[in-house]
Amino acid sequence: MTRVRLSVAERREELLRAAVEQIEARGVAAVRIADVASALGVSNALVLYHFATKEKLVAAAFTHAAEGDLGRLGRILGRRTTALRRLRAAVRWYAPTGQAKGWRLWIEGWAASLREPALQEVTRDLDRRWKAAITEVIAEGVAAGEFHCPDPTGTALRLTALLDGLAVQLTSYPGAVSRARAQEWVDETLARELGLEREALTASAR
């Protein structure tokens, strides 16, 4: 029985990874059950056995991607170093100039969530948990005297708004702003929010 359950879990994982790839390539509206099945060389029936409908598959795929991103964020913020270094590393990773999630996927998700309540819940939960994690590490830094920030919650919201907005510009409008300039804006904003000089952020990475 254990072997059968493991096989089902592995198959589900494989289907979710394929769904994420197909959504990134085709978009939420255009992607079909058949696209996911074809990518893996399996039948449509097998995909439907695990997820029943395209809508459930799409919601599960975004949940899968969200949990992967939040797991990575947790590992970054869980490092044994200063709050400033952890915060800077998290922001650098999440920024569209960094190594975070596929931004095309999430822009698709934001757009589709306007019409899909289940997907809206997934994207909203990711946003809430990201802001909560950033708020917490900012509060830790304030408590440790590493920097000054009178409103950690507000700072987390403003940082998220900037990063998400830059992601749209860099992903949807290539050439609208350079990656180097975008990173400068992110660093400048983070330093300003924490009451630091920008050079302090650079020093924190050493």
Side-chain angles (χ1 to χ4, degrees), residues 73-156:
L73 176 64
R75 290 189 291 275
I76 292 172
L77 295 182
R79 293 172 182 169
R80 299 184 64 180
T81 186
T82 65
L84 180 57
R85 286 186 177 183
R86 286 180 283 135
L87 176 59
R88 183 178 184 276
V91 170
R92 280 256 174 169
W93 166 76
Y94 183 93
T97 53
Q99 299 299 315
K101 58 195 173 190
W103 278 103
R104 187 174 300 277
L105 174 74
W106 289 104
I107 292 171
E108 281 283 342
W110 294 335
S113 70
L114 295 174
R115 299 175 297 276
E116 295 288 344
L119 190 51
Q120 184 178 85
E121 187 58 34
V122 172
T123 57
R124 179 181 293 166
D125 184 58
L126 173 63
D127 184 68
R128 178 186 60 78
R129 291 166 68 183
W130 154 262
K131 288 174 182 171
I134 294 301
T135 298
E136 182 177 353
V137 74
I138 292 173
E140 288 177 13
V142 171
E146 296 179 31
F147 46 75
H148 177 70
C149 179
D151 181 15
T153 300
T155 288

Side-chain angles (χ1 to χ4, degrees), residues 169-180:
Q169 291 294 314
L170 288 169
T171 304
S172 301
Y173 311 113
V177 58
S178 70
R179 292 172 63 85

Side-chain angles (χ1 to χ4, degrees), residues 30 37 43-44 64 66 68 72 110 123-124 130 135 156 158 173 179 193-195 201:
S43 68
N44 292 2
H64 175 75
R72 174 62 174 159
W110 294 335
T123 57
R124 179 181 293 166
W130 154 262
T135 298
R158 287 187 291 273
Y173 311 113
R179 292 172 63 85
E193 288 283 351
L194 302 181
L201 295 179

Side-chain angles (χ1 to χ4, degrees), residues 10-112:
E10 289 176 340
R11 174 63 77 181
R12 183 180 174 86
E13 175 86 9
E14 182 181 52
L15 290 169
L16 290 173
R17 286 198 304 267
V20 168
E21 292 173 359
Q22 291 300 311
I23 291 168
E24 287 183 319
R26 303 170 185 273
V28 173
V31 74
R32 304 169 302 162
I33 290 289
D35 297 321
V36 177
S38 178
L40 295 174
V42 300
S43 68
N44 292 2
L46 179 63
V47 181
L48 291 170
Y49 170 79
H50 285 275
F51 298 102
T53 66
K54 171 190 165 178
E55 290 71 26
K56 289 182 179 180
L57 172 62
V58 168
F62 276 96
T63 299
H64 175 75
E67 291 300 332
D69 286 343
L70 290 166
R72 174 62 174 159
L73 176 64
R75 290 189 291 275
I76 292 172
L77 295 182
R79 293 172 182 169
R80 299 184 64 180
T81 186
T82 65
L84 180 57
R85 286 186 177 183
R86 286 180 283 135
L87 176 59
R88 183 178 184 276
V91 170
R92 280 256 174 169
W93 166 76
Y94 183 93
T97 53
Q99 299 299 315
K101 58 195 173 190
W103 278 103
R104 187 174 300 277
L105 174 74
W106 289 104
I107 292 171
E108 281 283 342
W110 294 335

